[in-house]
Amino acid sequence: MDYNYARRMADMKASEIRELLKLTEKPEVISFAGGLPAPELFPIEEIKKANNHVLDHNGGQALQYSTTEGYGPLRKWIAQRMNAQLGTSFDGDDIMMTNGSQQALDLSGKLFLDEGDVVLCESPTYLAAISAFKAYGCRFVEVPTDEEGMMIPELEHALKAEPDAKLIYVIPNFQNPTGRTWSLNRRQKLAELSAAYNVAVIEDNPYGELRYEGSFLPSIKSFDRTGNIICTGTFSKILCPGYRIGWIAGEAEVIRKYVLVKQGVDLQCSTIAQMVISAYLEQYDIDTHIRKIREVYRKRRDVALDAVNRFFPSDIKYTKPEGGLFLWIELNDAVDTVALLEKCLEYNVAFVPGNSFYPNRNKPNTLRINFSNMPEDRIEEGIARIGQVLDV
Amino acid sequence: MDYNYARRMADMKASEIRELLKLTEKPEVISFAGGLPAPELFPIEEIKKANNHVLDHNGGQALQYSTTEGYGPLRKWIAQRMNAQLGTSFDGDDIMMTNGSQQALDLSGKLFLDEGDVVLCESPTYLAAISAFKAYGCRFVEVPTDEEGMMIPELEHALKAEPDAKLIYVIPNFQNPTGRTWSLNRRQKLAELSAAYNVAVIEDNPYGELRYEGSFLPSIKSFDRTGNIICTGTFSKILCPGYRIGWIAGEAEVIRKYVLVKQGVDLQCSTIAQMVISAYLEQYDIDTHIRKIREVYRKRRDVALDAVNRFFPSDIKYTKPEGGLFLWIELNDAVDTVALLEKCLEYNVAFVPGNSFYPNRNKPNTLRINFSNMPEDRIEEGIARIGQVLDV
């Protein structure tokens, strides 16, 4: 049959990069390409016990349908955690559970975006946020960023140039792909500008808990005076991604709209997944667990930074992230990292070329390195191999 | 803030019915409103063992990210089951896992529908399919149905009147809301017409395994010669809905497109949920389990039919479904079932007024009764109460 797809499908192509990266599944390849947490840190035994507890005591409820909003006790826990760590003032009703924070992005697109609408984003920004929003036919305006986040005069300029912009999308902590963290001042300024120009903000925060040095900063939401800032979060990086449990948090009014959207999309998140995570949080100390993750990832980051410093050419720029999962490297202008990746694959080492993180595609000399999912010696070895290829 | 939503949100309102039905959560209410399976039939112990098996042997994999397509062994099982029961010829690669079959509907809308596109559906049809497709701005053309399914001359008439129609949406087994099953002849005719007019068909089949009498019929897909028929399925009704695991099955070419759409939407279904269900299917005999469900639901259906016959006025029409979860009742033209529901709630009994199942709203004298989620005596008592209200 000649399938007659929606117009949005014209833009939705299988990415060449993804095809290349399929080659990285071979065990001999050292892959810095994913964004995977380290599976050896998953609290498997504790999750097993939490699961058995739930099925022993509330099996019928756990395996049944439940509400679109999500499991009450878990939503309350999330609100309290966010309030303590991010300076927000949510309660459980301000939270809706999602299938990972990725779904929070898709639902945001569905809630806010008509064809042709503008999304302002950091340049570069999270690859799968670009896909999620683009499916609704939006246009991206990239706002230049530096070590402190979006550059505020440029943001204001963009807001003036696009008075009908619908969303500002940012990842203020250990950004994907750069690893950078917004300064306090920029957070406050973004909150002010978004209120002045009446644009909703999606404050995406999958990595915020993974801080390896420096102090935690209040969220952009904590400076929100008008209710236009919407937050996302996830258990994928602090517990495990396999359950696909994340959330969206915002004013009760906008959360009610998200609930309507999610109802039509998939009715609800997994009941048992939410109850197991909730039981885990009740029975174990997640802070002890997160400290363990931070310890391991901090060392891996240090090894990666040290190796980049030793094995890469001296004319590069790279970020020194205070947390999260990624380093971002800018090579000299002559290098095209897609070609570099092809060569690196011959040496059994992989990364993500940076161009895909720019919605309007214009920085072929950049690349992203993930350091969370590999032992230290492999990190060193892999980065040395990329350095060798760069040397040729 | 004055949220600036997408245009699609203008149509997406919290339904009054849903608000009314919130009252049914009180334990004293006998509610025929949901579509819930009976939780006392969930194989809780077996699922617990399957879960422990997965976490003991493959915990790291189960809690990690995995592919958008889904877990290989589960997809292969589904293909084999469909082929044996529905006369299809799928292999594992033709299956993509979804968050319940509801997500298969949303993804179908995203894949096929532009604003203003036409969806042909049975009249009446599944409420949440209407919501899922409507979010993409489509228009519905309702095709009249009788005891054998869509009326074929009317379907052909609609296809001629709407030559650009994008989708035909049908539930051929124990339809929601009517409980009706399509005849073999109508299945074959739909396959032929959809090929002749080059329109994709979504063959939604959440209830097919729940047959209480008569013989299983081959799927519409089994008559597909051009590849335009796409099937959905789910574990929600034969195992449990709490994991939110369903699927979509179709030609490899169209499934690749669904994968692109799902990637942007939520990356993947829960890894552990898929692996636990797969382990359950390997370690236990699901046919024995399904026979138990059929036995219980068959009796409940008989009690419900008998009670409707005894307690409802004689000028009504009602369906006598051979399987599934629902009866459909047409009262005399003067009755508005929304008003009836309000009165029934005073007597602590509830159902879903039928109007919501017509996308263009025009049958206020209809209602849907779910019989799967309640002991026999409560079914009898509840239907007697509705009968009393109708008598006043």
Side-chain angles (χ1 to χ4, degrees):
Chain A
M1 145 157 195
D2 191 15
Y3 295 104
N4 193 1
Y5 297 122
R7 283 194 304 275
R8 67 178 65 82
M9 296 308 297
D11 277 346
M12 224 184 271
K13 297 245 161 63
S15 106
E16 301 157 55
I17 305 297
R18 192 174 277 269
E19 294 307 306
L20 275 179
L21 293 178
K22 279 193 181 158
L23 303 172
T24 67
E25 283 160 22
K26 297 182 293 183
E28 64 271 29
V29 174
I30 300 182
S31 176
F32 300 110
L36 274 60
E40 67 272 24
L41 297 172
F42 295 155
I44 298 176
E45 276 307 307
E46 292 84 347
I47 286 177
K48 200 171 91 180
K49 283 179 191 148
N51 185 81
N52 289 341
H53 180 86
V54 166
L55 286 177
D56 285 340
H57 293 84
N58 298 97
Q61 182 190 353
L63 298 176
Q64 186 58 289
Y65 287 109
S66 56
T67 65
T68 307
E69 289 84 347
Y71 184 58
L74 184 58
R75 293 159 70 209
K76 195 177 273 182
W77 185 92
I78 291 166
Q80 286 167 355
R81 180 97 181 168
M82 291 182 82
N83 296 346
Q85 298 219 326
L86 302 170
T88 54
S89 49
F90 289 122
D91 67 39
D93 291 342
D94 303 328
I95 313 288
M96 183 186 81
M97 305 309 301
T98 57
N99 300 323
S101 53
Q102 181 69 28
Q103 191 186 37
L105 304 181
D106 173 58
L107 298 178
S108 298
K110 203 157 184 177
L111 180 55
F112 285 104
L113 300 177
D114 288 310
E115 216 172 321
D117 278 347
V118 165
V119 174
L120 304 183
C121 66
E122 294 162 282
S123 178
T125 192
Y126 171 48
L127 184 51
I130 300 174
S131 324
F133 295 144
K134 207 174 182 176
Y136 296 97
C138 71
R139 201 155 51 80
F140 292 92
V141 172
E142 298 176 43
V143 179
T145 57
D146 63 15
E147 290 63 32
E148 293 189 55
M150 273 185 181
M151 293 161 79
I152 297 298
E154 278 77 357
L155 172 61
E156 185 151 23
H157 177 79
L159 285 165
K160 278 183 181 146
E162 301 287 354
D164 298 324
K166 279 288 190 73
L167 288 179
I168 303 174
Y169 172 72
V170 296
I171 310 165
N173 297 312
F174 326 123
Q175 199 239 15
N176 184 353
T178 65
R180 283 175 181 156
T181 295
W182 287 45
S183 67
L184 193 67
N185 180 262
R186 297 273 177 97
R187 290 169 193 241
Q188 197 161 357
K189 284 279 170 23
L190 171 57
E192 286 164 17
L193 280 178
S194 68
Y197 288 84
N198 195 43
V199 185
V201 175
I202 308 293
E203 180 177 13
D204 194 8
N205 188 27
Y207 319 109
E209 298 255 14
L210 303 179
R211 180 174 273 286
Y212 315 135
E213 64 188 46
S215 12
F216 284 89
L217 293 171
S219 60
I220 300 169
K221 180 70 183 170
S222 71
F223 300 109
D224 185 7
R225 297 287 163 271
T226 55
N228 59 316
I229 298 172
I230 297 161
C231 302
T232 78
T234 179
F235 287 104
S236 293
K237 308 301 188 285
I238 55 173
L239 195 59
C240 65
Y243 276 114
R244 312 302 303 122
I245 296 293
W247 63 88
I248 190 140
E251 306 305 306
E253 178 193 344
V254 74
I255 293 300
R256 276 196 296 275
K257 294 284 182 185
Y258 275 103
V259 170
L260 291 178
V261 176
K262 186 166 164 74
Q263 253 162 26
V265 161
D266 63 5
L267 304 179
Q268 57 157 113
C269 290
S270 163
T271 317
I272 182 168
Q274 296 177 71
M275 289 176 73
V276 169
I277 291 177
S278 188
Y280 171 90
L281 295 168
E282 211 171 277
Q283 289 164 18
Y284 301 96
D285 178 16
I286 195 167
D287 286 306
T288 307
H289 177 64
I290 294 173
R291 270 196 297 277
K292 209 166 79 182
I293 300 176
R294 282 188 197 130
E295 202 54 45
V296 173
Y297 290 180
R298 176 198 291 117
K299 284 190 202 144
R300 291 180 180 178
R301 176 204 60 174
D302 292 344
V303 169
L305 281 172
D306 180 60
V308 166
N309 192 36
R310 281 156 57 209
F311 299 117
F312 274 33
S314 56
D315 63 346
I316 66 164
K317 288 187 220 162
Y318 58 97
T319 54
K320 292 158 197 83
E322 296 183 326
L325 308 181
F326 306 109
L327 305 185
W328 178 249
I329 294 171
E330 200 175 322
L331 300 167
N332 90 49
D333 288 350
V335 184
D336 179 331
T337 54
V338 176
L340 180 68
L341 172 61
E342 284 174 24
K343 249 187 268 171
C344 281
L345 285 171
E346 293 170 22
Y347 293 78
N348 285 330
V349 60
F351 53 82
V352 184
N355 234 5
S356 324
F357 299 95
Y358 296 91
N360 310 314
R361 308 271 156 135
N362 50 14
K363 271 288 214 181
N365 61 326
T366 52
L367 65 90
R368 191 191 75 177
I369 295 276
N370 165 260
F371 55 76
S372 56
N373 188 27
M374 219 179 299
E376 295 167 25
D377 56 334
R378 297 265 287 177
I379 295 175
E380 188 174 5
E381 166 67 20
I383 288 179
R385 285 189 206 166
I386 302 174
Q388 273 180 314
V389 175
L390 279 167
D391 255 359
V392 177
Chain B
M1 142 158 198
D2 190 14
Y3 295 104
N4 194 3
Y5 297 122
R7 282 194 305 275
R8 68 178 64 84
M9 296 308 296
D11 277 345
M12 225 185 272
K13 298 246 160 64
S15 106
E16 300 157 53
I17 304 297
R18 195 175 274 270
E19 293 308 305
L20 276 178
L21 293 179
K22 279 192 180 157
L23 303 172
T24 66
E25 283 160 21
K26 295 182 296 183
E28 64 272 27
V29 175
I30 300 182
S31 176
F32 300 110
L36 275 59
E40 68 272 23
L41 298 171
F42 296 155
I44 298 177
E45 276 308 307
E46 290 84 347
I47 286 177
K48 202 171 89 180
K49 283 179 192 149
N51 185 80
N52 288 341
H53 181 86
V54 166
L55 286 177
D56 285 342
H57 294 83
N58 299 97
Q61 181 189 355
L63 298 176
Q64 185 61 288
Y65 287 109
S66 55
T67 65
T68 305
E69 288 84 347
Y71 184 58
L74 185 58
R75 294 160 70 211
K76 196 175 273 180
W77 186 91
I78 291 166
Q80 286 167 354
R81 179 98 181 165
M82 291 182 82
N83 296 347
Q85 298 219 326
L86 301 169
T88 54
S89 49
F90 290 123
D91 68 39
D93 290 342
D94 303 327
I95 313 287
M96 183 187 81
M97 305 308 302
T98 58
N99 300 321
S101 52
Q102 182 68 28
Q103 191 185 37
L105 304 182
D106 174 58
L107 298 178
S108 299
K110 203 159 184 175
L111 180 55
F112 285 104
L113 299 176
D114 287 311
E115 216 171 319
D117 277 347
V118 165
V119 174
L120 304 183
C121 66
E122 293 161 285
S123 179
T125 190
Y126 172 47
L127 185 51
I130 301 173
S131 324
F133 295 144
K134 207 174 181 175
Y136 296 96
C138 71
R139 202 155 50 81
F140 292 93
V141 172
E142 298 175 42
V143 179
T145 57
D146 62 17
E147 290 63 33
E148 293 189 55
M150 273 185 180
M151 292 160 79
I152 296 299
E154 279 78 356
L155 171 60
E156 184 150 24
H157 177 80
L159 285 166
K160 277 182 183 148
E162 301 287 354
D164 298 326
K166 279 288 190 73
L167 289 179
I168 303 174
Y169 172 72
V170 294
I171 310 164
N173 297 312
F174 326 123
Q175 199 239 15
N176 184 353
T178 64
R180 283 174 181 159
T181 294
W182 286 46
S183 67
L184 193 69
N185 179 262
R186 297 274 177 97
R187 290 170 193 240
Q188 198 162 354
K189 283 279 169 23
L190 172 56
E192 287 165 16
L193 280 179
S194 68
Y197 289 85
N198 194 43
V199 186
V201 174
I202 308 294
E203 180 176 14
D204 195 8
N205 188 27
Y207 318 110
E209 299 253 14
L210 303 179
R211 179 173 274 284
Y212 315 136
E213 64 186 47
S215 10
F216 284 90
L217 293 171
S219 60
I220 299 169
K221 179 71 183 169
S222 71
F223 300 107
D224 185 8
R225 298 286 163 271
T226 54
N228 60 314
I229 297 172
I230 297 160
C231 303
T232 78
T234 179
F235 288 103
S236 293
K237 308 302 189 283
I238 55 172
L239 195 60
C240 66
Y243 276 115
R244 314 301 304 122
I245 295 294
W247 64 87
I248 190 141
E251 306 306 307
E253 177 194 346
V254 74
I255 292 299
R256 277 197 295 276
K257 293 285 182 184
Y258 274 104
V259 169
L260 291 178
V261 176
K262 185 165 165 77
Q263 252 162 26
V265 160
D266 62 5
L267 305 179
Q268 56 157 113
C269 291
S270 163
T271 318
I272 182 168
Q274 295 176 72
M275 289 176 73
V276 169
I277 291 177
S278 188
Y280 170 89
L281 295 168
E282 212 171 277
Q283 289 163 19
Y284 301 95
D285 178 16
I286 196 169
D287 286 305
T288 307
H289 178 62
I290 293 174
R291 270 196 296 277
K292 208 167 79 182
I293 300 177
R294 283 188 196 130
E295 201 53 46
V296 172
Y297 290 1
R298 176 197 291 118
K299 284 191 201 143
R300 291 180 181 178
R301 176 203 61 171
D302 291 344
V303 168
L305 282 171
D306 179 60
V308 165
N309 193 35
R310 279 157 58 209
F311 299 117
F312 274 35
S314 57
D315 62 346
I316 66 165
K317 288 185 220 163
Y318 58 98
T319 54
K320 289 155 199 89
E322 295 184 327
L325 309 180
F326 305 110
L327 305 186
W328 179 250
I329 295 170
E330 202 175 320
L331 301 166
N332 89 50
D333 287 351
V335 183
D336 179 332
T337 55
V338 175
L340 179 69
L341 172 61
E342 283 174 24
K343 250 187 265 171
C344 281
L345 284 170
E346 292 170 23
Y347 292 78
N348 285 329
V349 59
F351 54 81
V352 184
N355 234 6
S356 324
F357 299 96
Y358 295 91
N360 309 314
R361 308 270 157 136
N362 50 13
K363 272 288 214 181
N365 60 327
T366 52
L367 64 90
R368 191 191 73 177
I369 295 276
N370 165 261
F371 55 77
S372 56
N373 187 29
M374 217 179 301
E376 295 167 25
D377 57 335
R378 296 265 287 176
I379 295 175
E380 188 174 6
E381 165 66 22
I383 288 180
R385 285 190 207 166
I386 302 174
Q388 272 180 314
V389 176
L390 278 168
D391 255 0
V392 177

